[in-house]
Amino acid sequence: PGLSARLRDVIREPADVALAMRIGFFLWRAPYALSRRHLQAYLHDLERRRPRSGRRRDGHHARIERIRGAWLRMPFFRKRDSCYLRSLTLYRFWDIGDDVMHLHFGVEQREDPQALRHAHVWISVGGRTYEGPPPSARRLQAITLTRASV
């Protein structure tokens, strides 16, 4: 499909244009911003900026994932397509109303302490996992952060 067809798949309503610009800027800036700040301070900043309507917007995460996916498929963002950036994008932009969002950081436990360890970041809302660890993940030692602990 051509560019206009791909844009129609991503931009489905006028408000998607502004959201796409904000998500694109976030994806471009987040790795640099995170490398310059303590994780807790960075998450606190994201928490302050997260939208709050007072009501959960079902399907809003799918809208964010659709727009974020379009950015991450672009050549200059492909190397940034990581679980931590995908999860932080949902953490920053998803209006969950009064629900509680948990941000999970997991590190695989290996029997050999010298073996390369893999990490994964995901979120959960209302007991449902988003961007969860892949089935291939072995035992994960996880740290969970909630709004109150950030």
Side-chain angles (χ1 to χ4, degrees):
L3 179 61
S4 63
R6 284 185 287 185
L7 275 174
R8 279 193 308 270
D9 286 342
V10 176
I11 306 298
R12 297 182 183 168
E13 58 186 81
D16 285 351
V17 174
L19 182 60
M21 295 289 92
R22 291 190 350 253
I23 288 174
F25 183 73
F26 177 82
L27 292 170
W28 174 71
R29 182 89 171 109
Y32 176 79
L34 187 55
S35 73
R36 301 284 186 238
R37 300 185 66 196
H38 186 276
L39 177 63
Q40 189 171 10
Y42 181 74
L43 293 176
H44 180 70
D45 205 30
L46 291 184
E47 178 63 31
R48 279 188 315 107
R49 294 180 178 157
R50 192 160 71 205
R52 288 176 180 77
S53 68
R55 68 188 202 301
R56 183 172 177 174
R57 295 176 57 194
D58 291 325
H60 193 233
H61 73 281
R63 179 178 174 222
I64 295 165
E65 289 171 349
R66 181 183 76 243
I67 293 169
R68 179 195 63 202
W71 280 110
L72 292 176
R73 284 189 298 275
M74 293 183 147
F76 50 90
F77 277 127
R78 282 191 189 131
K79 289 185 178 182
R80 294 181 184 219
D81 189 1
S82 65
C83 59
Y84 91 89
L85 198 50
R86 289 190 308 268
S87 294
L88 288 175
T89 305
L90 285 176
Y91 187 84
R92 163 62 181 88
F93 291 100
W94 190 5
D95 183 354
I96 59 166
D98 293 330
D99 283 348
V100 176
M101 181 180 291
H102 300 279
L103 186 62
H104 308 270
F105 296 84
V107 178
E108 275 188 350
Q109 297 301 302
R110 300 283 177 118
E111 291 182 21
D112 177 4
Q114 301 301 317
L116 179 66
R117 294 178 184 219
H118 298 278
H120 192 71
V121 180
W122 68 98
I123 64 167
S124 62
V125 177
R128 186 166 174 205
T129 299
Y130 299 87
E131 305 293 338
S136 62
R138 295 188 177 104
R139 299 170 294 164
L140 287 177
Q141 178 70 36
I143 299 170
T144 302
L145 302 174
T146 61
R147 283 185 188 177
S149 63
V150 175

